[in-house]
Amino acid sequence: MILSDDQSWTDYGFMGHDVIRTPHLDRLASESVVYPRAYVTTPLCRPSLMTLATGHYAKDHKITGNDPSTRLADRKSEKFKELSHELLVNIDRLDTLPKILSRNGYLTHQSGKWWEGSYQRGGFTHGMTEGDTGGMARHGDKGLDIGRKGMEPIFSFIETAENEEKPFYLWYAPFLPHTPHNPPARILEHYQGLGLDPALAKYYAMCEWFDETCGELIEHLEKKGLRENTLIYYVCDNGWIQRTADTEVSEGWFTSFAPKSKQSVYDGGARSPIMLSWPAELEADIKGDLVSSIDIVPTVLSAAGLDIPEGLPGIDLLPNAKEGETIDRDIIFGDSYAHDIADLDNPEASLMYLWCIRDRWKLILTYDGEVNRYDVIHPRNEPIQLFDIVGDPHETVNLADRYPNIVQDLKDQIENWYPLTERKLVLEK
């Protein structure tokens, strides 16, 4: 797995960006089955990664945000540490992709982003993140060195797998292009020379830095003679639109990302290309199908020749990628919650959005869940939004009033998928 961290779906050469240089990912795309119309289920890193690890939606794996709400306890208190530790129990109660692969003879390695305690807790046989017994280690502690400080831990792991003659799985989730945006000067100078806003130049340089590390990984696989029969899948955890000096934001806006990106269910937050590259098995292609990060776990298990557990909601994409079979689904869903988890046992408590996409139509329903610290990022002044994301990919015109039948149909689909017992649409009387 190659996972980008906080990068817009537009910000690659192969997706049409004319400034950001991503030659290694562009090459990977040219050797992949690419799904440009792909989405993550939840546009925030921790729940998004938990879906990639378990194959379940946030409503079911219960990691709906990054941290317990500060309304429950002060962040510096022992109680807050206890609550943070309680969240980790969710990784214990669910099977994970690394657990399944490890049980079936794979050596598995974690690097980069990993919120759920130590790498062992997620079922990896090897890894970098140590976790914290108090549950306060955020993002992935020592795992975050990967990429930013070189690739040696991964290369050493691959050598171990070779020596033991074992198949291997890599979770490469570097803290890139995520803040801090501190790219190497040799890369930054190029973008500064283009006269860009300083913050934008740094973000673009971070995207290129991430791309460089992907090139190092792919080149290493090639040198080892492992590339042909290795499936590489690529996805980003959530989107990012860089805030610049001229970005219009609400009063009190305090983040370095712009509206309609990270934490939002607009395409700037939830859309990410997904690539499957397996030279021995898959011919390069660009697909128009709607796919989701919920599909990745069953697809990887299928590639490994393993049974897909019952109860996983995603679809095995390999028949489509390999043989062109039609995907037996015409709609995808997503759920989105506050950054701060209001109730560790009740996902609905901090539910803000449910959404779906079918064909060209995207419906967003906005709910009254508890938000806490990030309320300025979620104005929630429109309960129902309908967008034609083919004709209006940046979601500028709400068509809900113009197409009430489509709204009702998609709303019924969402409510059947996730029947709510507590939450109401905002402004609902």
Side-chain angles (χ1 to χ4, degrees):
M1 180 185 80
I2 296 178
L3 182 81
S4 180
D5 192 344
D6 289 3
Q7 183 169 357
S8 176
W9 66 273
T10 58
D11 294 350
Y12 312 82
F14 72 91
M15 291 296 288
H17 205 284
D18 57 2
V19 178
I20 299 174
R21 301 183 299 190
T22 56
H24 303 288
L25 289 172
D26 295 349
R27 179 191 168 197
L28 182 65
S30 73
E31 301 168 345
S32 299
V33 176
V34 181
Y35 295 93
R37 293 194 70 199
Y39 290 79
V40 294
T41 58
T42 311
L44 181 64
C45 57
R46 186 174 184 178
S48 184
L49 266 67
M50 187 68 160
T51 292
L52 293 172
T54 67
H56 291 284
Y57 293 102
K59 68 185 181 70
D60 299 314
H61 63 57
K62 293 189 177 180
I63 298 293
T64 60
N66 282 357
D67 302 288
S69 173
T70 52
R71 183 186 59 76
L72 302 176
D74 184 271
R75 288 177 66 86
K76 297 181 180 180
S77 68
E78 287 300 315
K79 177 62 174 177
F80 192 86
K81 290 183 179 181
E82 292 172 8
L83 293 171
S84 297
H85 189 56
E86 286 179 25
L87 278 176
L88 301 181
V89 174
N90 289 292
I91 200 69
D92 301 333
R93 68 180 178 84
L94 292 169
D95 226 348
T96 67
L97 181 58
K99 288 178 186 177
I100 297 171
L101 292 173
S102 298
R103 287 199 302 266
N104 284 276
Y106 276 73
L107 298 186
T108 55
H109 186 276
Q110 171 274 329
S111 69
K113 272 289 200 58
W114 179 257
W115 290 72
E116 312 310 325
S118 69
Y119 68 85
Q120 295 102 323
R121 196 160 190 170
F124 296 93
T125 61
H126 298 70
M128 297 177 67
T129 294
E130 296 177 350
D132 184 282
T133 54
M136 285 297 290
R138 303 178 80 254
H139 296 298
D141 56 73
K142 293 182 179 179
L144 304 185
D145 288 347
I146 201 70
R148 286 178 179 261
K149 296 183 179 180
M151 305 291 286
E152 185 55 38
I154 283 178
F155 297 162
S156 296
F157 166 74
I158 292 174
E159 184 175 356
T160 297
E162 284 186 296
N163 291 339
E164 296 187 22
E165 299 183 343
K166 295 284 187 67
F168 63 85
Y169 171 75
L170 285 172
W171 172 283
Y172 178 54
F175 207 39
L176 295 167
H178 194 290
T179 56
H181 289 165
N182 53 354
R186 59 181 173 77
I187 301 177
L188 180 58
E189 287 170 0
H190 167 74
Y191 295 101
Q192 288 175 327
L194 301 178
L196 301 170
D197 179 284
L200 193 62
K202 289 180 180 179
Y203 166 66
Y204 284 4
M206 293 298 293
C207 293
E208 183 171 339
W209 191 15
F210 166 65
D211 179 81
E212 276 192 2
T213 72
C214 296
E216 291 177 51
L217 175 56
I218 295 167
E219 181 182 9
H220 187 79
L221 292 172
E222 291 171 341
K223 286 181 177 178
K224 289 286 187 177
L226 298 169
R227 180 68 183 92
E228 279 292 304
N229 198 35
T230 297
L231 169 67
I232 296 176
Y233 64 96
Y234 174 88
V235 65
C236 183
D237 64 349
N238 56 251
W240 178 276
I241 300 174
Q242 180 62 47
R243 179 184 177 183
T244 60
D246 58 357
T247 303
E248 293 185 9
V249 296
S250 304
E251 183 178 354
W253 193 276
F254 60 92
T255 70
S256 56
F257 56 84
K260 300 180 76 170
S261 62
K262 185 174 182 175
Q263 293 195 35
S264 87
V265 297
Y266 297 105
D267 273 24
R271 184 173 174 181
S272 165
I274 288 177
M275 293 190 274
L276 304 175
S277 182
W278 191 3
E281 298 289 337
L282 301 177
E283 293 186 9
D285 198 3
I286 299 175
K287 302 282 191 178
D289 305 80
L290 275 171
V291 300
S292 165
S293 60
I294 204 72
D295 302 324
I296 285 178
V297 169
T299 300
V300 173
L301 291 175
S302 173
L306 301 176
D307 292 336
I308 299 170
E310 292 186 10
L312 289 184
I315 289 175
D316 173 13
L317 297 177
L318 280 188
N320 175 264
K322 187 180 291 189
E323 308 293 341
E325 291 186 17
T326 301
I327 293 176
D328 187 21
R329 176 187 62 200
D330 67 353
I331 192 168
I332 61 171
F333 297 97
D335 48 351
S336 184
Y337 307 78
H339 178 282
D340 297 348
I341 304 171
D343 185 329
L344 274 55
D345 297 315
N346 178 15
E348 275 196 52
S350 48
L351 177 67
M352 294 188 300
Y353 307 101
L354 297 177
W355 55 276
C356 71
I357 302 174
R358 187 175 63 193
D359 191 21
R360 66 191 305 123
W361 300 107
K362 179 177 182 179
L363 185 71
I364 301 172
L365 303 180
T366 305
Y367 293 93
D368 60 352
E370 182 180 319
V371 176
N372 198 27
R373 294 179 298 150
Y374 286 84
D375 57 339
V376 69
I377 294 170
H378 306 285
R380 296 193 291 178
N381 52 10
E382 293 185 274
I384 299 176
Q385 299 173 79
L386 179 71
F387 296 103
D388 173 2
I389 53 172
V390 175
D392 180 22
H394 298 292
E395 296 152 298
T396 61
V397 181
N398 181 2
L399 300 172
D401 290 340
R402 198 178 306 178
Y403 298 99
N405 291 339
I406 294 174
V407 168
Q408 189 59 55
D409 184 15
L410 295 180
K411 184 171 180 286
D412 289 344
Q413 295 278 352
I414 289 174
E415 291 174 345
N416 287 332
W417 169 68
Y418 191 168
L420 300 177
T421 60
E422 301 174 21
R423 296 275 65 81
K424 302 293 184 183
L425 290 172
V426 294
L427 308 182
E428 191 173 62
K429 304 299 182 183

